[in-house]
Amino acid sequence: MARIICVANQKGGVGKTTTSVNLSSSLTSLGRKVLLVDMDPQGNASSGVGMKRHEYQDKTVYQVLIGEKSVDECVLNTPYQDLDILAATPDLVGAEIELVDAERREMKLKDALEVVESDYDYIIIDCPPSLGLITLNSLTAANSFLVPLQCEYFALEGLSQLLNTAGLIKKSLNPNLKIEGIVLTMFDVRNNLSHQVVSEIKTHFEDKVFKSIIPRNVRLSEAPSYGQPINEYDPKSIGAARYLALAKELDEKVYGSHDYSNVEVNGQGEASV
């Protein structure tokens, strides 16, 4: 059975889609089979793994949520081995309205994913930067949620709201929901503020913070425009090394200790800053 992880933060620009795409691809480097679910109407996770919108216009997560098609009709192979996607288009915005009076409206994604969850080791859900019905569906479907948090001023802004929402969902819709952890992103080693934010977040959340910290990296910013995860676009970059380190850390947490000696990491692959 897949571990279903929702990547969520209602604050925009924190590296949510970057983390969803690159963590998913890095997990396949460890021999895991992954389904990436794009729940953001912008569809950036879909284009970030090389999908062209005209190829999947009528096979998206929107059709699944409104009951027009089954999930196995809409899951697509990406150009990358062991990485499949349930893609999104701007049509997904309409689901918020169309589902408002639907029975079990918060459970649509959960019910759909039950059909395919035995086919994967991980299902990674990329959420929109909001706490609406789409994110509600994502958190209800997930075993856990992972929070990307940028190493900048106001980093904790909005996090308490997300944790409160997750607490309400746990109480009423998904009693098994838990926080998988916090991933610190956009770290600038030259910036004292970045170091202060890391220290503050580790003080507040202790063992909930992943050791692997994602730096600001030009290659990470370039990769989406080529429709490639960072480990495909530039496997020798520090961004690729850090996402692979994060994937290992997560995989050991979920499935226990494992021998990754056959997985290539360059000299910049240390787990923490």
Side-chain angles (χ1 to χ4, degrees):
M1 262 332 188
R3 176 63 156 255
I4 304 175
I5 301 173
C6 177
V7 181
N9 189 333
Q10 79 271 24
K11 198 170 186 297
V14 299
K16 202 160 45 297
T17 298
T18 300
T19 295
S20 298
V21 167
N22 293 309
L23 177 59
S24 295
S25 187
S26 295
L27 285 166
T28 67
S29 299
L30 305 182
R32 301 300 187 186
K33 190 160 174 55
V34 181
L35 173 63
L36 175 60
V37 180
D38 191 350
M39 287 289 277
D40 189 338
Q42 295 177 85
N44 290 337
S46 304
S47 59
V49 292
M51 305 305 291
K52 305 286 189 286
R53 192 165 290 173
H54 66 87
E55 297 172 345
Y56 62 83
Q57 191 71 41
D58 59 347
K59 293 181 179 180
T60 71
V61 71
Y62 167 70
Q63 274 87 17
V64 172
L65 290 176
I66 65 170
E68 197 174 281
K69 290 189 175 173
S70 66
V71 71
D72 46 357
E73 288 180 280
C74 296
V75 166
L76 304 169
N77 300 126
T78 72
Y80 309 108
Q81 187 176 352
D82 291 330
L83 180 59
D84 293 344
I85 189 160
L86 189 52
T89 64
D91 291 346
L92 184 54
V93 172
E96 294 263 6
I97 299 160
E98 292 181 52
L99 293 178
V100 76
D101 294 321
E103 195 174 325
R104 288 170 59 83
R105 61 179 185 170
E106 302 92 350
M107 313 290 280
K108 296 296 183 184
L109 184 62
K110 179 182 174 64
D111 293 344
L113 291 179
E114 284 176 358
V115 178
V116 295
E117 62 181 311
S118 60
D119 299 334
Y120 298 94
D121 298 301
Y122 291 93
I123 297 176
I124 306 292
I125 305 171
D126 182 37
C127 288
S130 68
L131 290 176
L133 188 56
I134 292 173
T135 299
L136 195 60
N137 258 271
S138 303
L139 288 165
T140 302
N143 304 122
S144 60
F145 62 100
L146 184 151
V147 187
L149 214 60
Q150 81 276 36
C151 296
E152 293 176 357
Y153 197 59
F154 295 135
L156 295 172
E157 186 183 84
L159 180 58
S160 59
Q161 190 182 351
L162 174 62
L163 295 176
N164 288 339
T165 300
L168 293 171
I169 291 170
K170 182 180 175 73
K171 194 177 294 184
S172 58
L173 295 166
N174 184 1
N176 298 316
L177 182 67
K178 65 176 188 176
I179 184 168
E180 193 69 61
I182 293 169
V183 179
L184 295 166
T185 62
M186 304 180 186
F187 181 86
D188 185 346
V189 71
R190 301 160 300 176
N191 188 332
N192 284 337
L193 181 61
S194 279
H195 291 276
Q196 289 168 15
V197 170
V198 169
S199 177
E200 183 181 351
I201 292 169
K202 284 184 173 178
T203 300
H204 273 83
F205 294 98
E206 299 174 342
D207 61 343
K208 294 296 183 192
V209 183
F210 283 96
K211 293 185 179 71
S212 309
I213 297 175
I214 310 302
R216 285 194 179 278
N217 180 239
V218 173
R219 305 300 272 171
L220 270 177
S221 303
E222 292 172 349
S225 63
Y226 291 88
Q228 294 181 320
I230 189 61
N231 62 329
E232 297 285 346
Y233 178 66
D234 188 353
K236 297 298 183 185
S237 67
I238 190 169
R242 292 294 171 83
Y243 270 113
L244 184 59
L246 176 64
K248 288 181 180 180
E249 197 177 345
L250 174 66
D251 196 57
E252 287 183 352
K253 190 176 176 186
V254 172
Y255 289 108
S257 58
H258 190 76
D259 180 12
Y260 300 116
S261 57
N262 62 333
V263 180
E264 184 182 341
V265 189
N266 67 27
Q268 303 173 98
E270 68 276 10
S272 58
V273 174

